[in-house]
Amino acid sequence: MDSKEKKILYLQYTNPAAFPPLENSAWMLAEAGWKVKFIGTKALGVDGIEFPYHENIQVELAPFCHPGFRQKLNFLNYNFRCFKEALLGGYSCIYVSDLFSCPIAWVLCFLLGLKVFYHEHDTPDAPQSRMTRILHWTRRKLAGSADLCIIPQKERANIFSEKFATAKVQVCHNMPLKNRVLEGLPQKKSDHFRLWYHGSLVPTLLPLTVLEALAILPDSVTLHFAGYELIGYPNFLESFMWKARALGVQERVFYEGALSRGVLYEKAGSCDLGLALFARQFREPMVGASNKPFDYMACGLALLINDSTEWREFFCAKGFGVSCNPESGEKIAEAVQVLIADKARLIEMQKLGQNKIREDWNYECQFSPVMKNLEA
């Protein structure tokens, strides 16, 4: 493919900076000489998160609109803008990554014959209205006509393939780039044992039982977390900090804000143990789809994960962390105490994790089959 033809347009009706896999794939393409352009929208809670600069990456964001009539106008304008850009921009590929961009992606594929790659980060909820039924219809049409459908998790990919028999599916776990691995293990500035969490601030991912565990653990154990609230849980941060005060641990809980990837990794790298305590009854399989544990490993953290079979077999059996019941503050505290008491084991987990990301649990390895399709 001639370099002047290596142009790709990313479309998503949200802020792409909130999705590390988009940042990773765009960076890989930009490094390979592609001109990458994003057309997205601003989103609640992620204003402070920005794409890292690269001369081959351009990001354009439409204003955010709350649900209602103005949002419908905003959505129509977004689709017109995408169609115009795709028609006139000389792109060889379109990379789509959310349900709301399926209509314009299918139109571009059907009318203009453009090659479309569909990356589904999360399985959309069942349609509840005429609008969402239309979106799901275009998702079905796009799944059958896309050059490749990228799914971040094996079980989800199997379900997707069963539902859309003609779809070409590639599993691509949400792992970090190799250049994100921090050099060495964190240099501790104190004797404190630091727990770390980053991601969406919702009770199924950062449960209140973590605070209950903190109340049981020694005063030297602190919790540091970063992320953003979602529309479904707009007051999570307030209620979380209220619970910390009620338990008397507020001085050991530190909210770092919504951070861009570089700063996020620096903050994480100053901690000891990364929390990936997904609720046991999560709405869909998450091992491989969750960025968190891989991010933590790249930053030199051991993992504390939930005790479901899929998580234990994927992480604990390989020596990257320990598991516990996320619904029990006592069990969380017991797991943390085990690692506080066995520093050698903790350090070994941290080293194993960083080495694994360098070796093959990285986005270069995961995205390689997609890259080959894009370059073909």
Side-chain angles (χ1 to χ4, degrees), residues 20-96:
L22 298 182
E23 178 184 312
N24 294 342
S25 62
W27 188 268
M28 288 177 62
L29 290 164
E31 286 288 284
W34 286 70
K35 298 294 183 182
V36 183
K37 184 169 182 176
F38 284 86
I39 297 182
T41 70
K42 294 183 178 180
L44 289 177
V46 296
D47 290 343
I49 303 177
E50 297 180 354
F51 257 77
Y53 172 77
H54 195 290
E55 61 182 0
N56 287 340
I57 298 177
Q58 180 183 0
V59 180
E60 291 185 3
L61 300 179
F64 171 78
C65 278
H66 289 279
F69 180 72
R70 287 188 64 187
Q71 187 188 55
K72 293 178 173 60
L73 293 178
N74 180 277
F75 183 62
L76 290 173
N77 184 61
Y78 166 83
N79 281 278
F80 175 76
R81 183 176 177 184
C82 293
F83 185 85
K84 181 180 178 182
E85 181 69 32
L87 181 65
L88 303 177
Y91 296 95
S92 50
C93 300
I94 307 295
Y95 200 94
V96 189

Side-chain angles (χ1 to χ4, degrees), residues 4 26 54 100 107 122 124 128 140 151 161 180 185-186 196 222 234 237 309 317 319 322 343 351 354:
K4 69 180 181 181
H54 195 290
F100 281 83
V107 168
D122 296 297
Q128 302 292 330
R140 183 171 67 251
I151 309 295
S161 296
R180 287 297 189 188
L185 297 180
W196 174 261
T222 56
L237 187 57
T309 301
V322 295
K343 188 174 181 180
K351 289 180 178 178
Q354 281 191 319

Side-chain angles (χ1 to χ4, degrees), residues 296-325:
Y296 298 159
M297 291 166 66
C299 295
L301 306 184
L303 306 178
L304 179 59
I305 62 175
N306 79 22
D307 56 357
S308 61
T309 301
E310 61 167 345
W311 283 85
R312 284 189 286 105
E313 290 180 353
F314 200 96
F315 293 107
C316 293
K318 300 178 178 69
F320 303 129
V322 295
S323 65
C324 67
N325 178 0

Side-chain angles (χ1 to χ4, degrees), residues 221-269:
V221 181
T222 56
L223 170 65
H224 304 253
F225 66 104
Y228 48 89
E229 295 176 321
L230 300 181
I231 292 176
Y233 298 94
N235 300 312
F236 174 85
L237 187 57
E238 180 182 348
S239 61
F240 191 80
M241 298 308 289
W242 181 90
K243 181 70 171 180
R245 288 191 293 272
L247 292 169
V249 297
Q250 69 273 15
E251 294 184 358
R252 295 158 56 198
V253 178
F254 303 90
Y255 174 55
E256 306 291 352
L259 306 174
S260 298
R261 191 74 23 195
V263 180
L264 187 74
Y265 271 44
E266 289 178 14
K267 294 283 187 180

Side-chain angles (χ1 to χ4, degrees), residues 55 81 104 120 130 134 155 280 320 331 350 375:
E55 61 182 0
R81 183 176 177 184
I104 184 61
E120 186 165 276
R130 177 182 293 182
I134 292 172
E155 285 81 8
R280 284 172 161 177
F320 303 129
K331 295 301 181 183
Q350 294 170 339
E375 294 279 11

Side-chain angles (χ1 to χ4, degrees), residues 159-211:
I159 294 170
F160 192 93
S161 296
E162 290 173 2
K163 187 170 185 177
F164 309 114
T166 60
K168 302 171 186 175
V169 178
Q170 174 66 48
V171 176
C172 187
H173 291 323
N174 290 339
M175 296 172 175
L177 295 170
K178 285 189 285 188
N179 65 12
R180 287 297 189 188
V181 180
L182 299 184
E183 289 296 325
L185 297 180
Q187 297 297 314
K188 302 305 174 188
K189 298 180 180 179
S190 69
D191 294 330
H192 284 198
F193 190 91
R194 299 184 174 189
L195 309 177
W196 174 261
Y197 169 87
H198 67 242
S200 303
L201 300 180
V202 296
T204 52
L205 301 181
L206 183 58
L208 295 178
T209 48
V210 172
L211 296 174

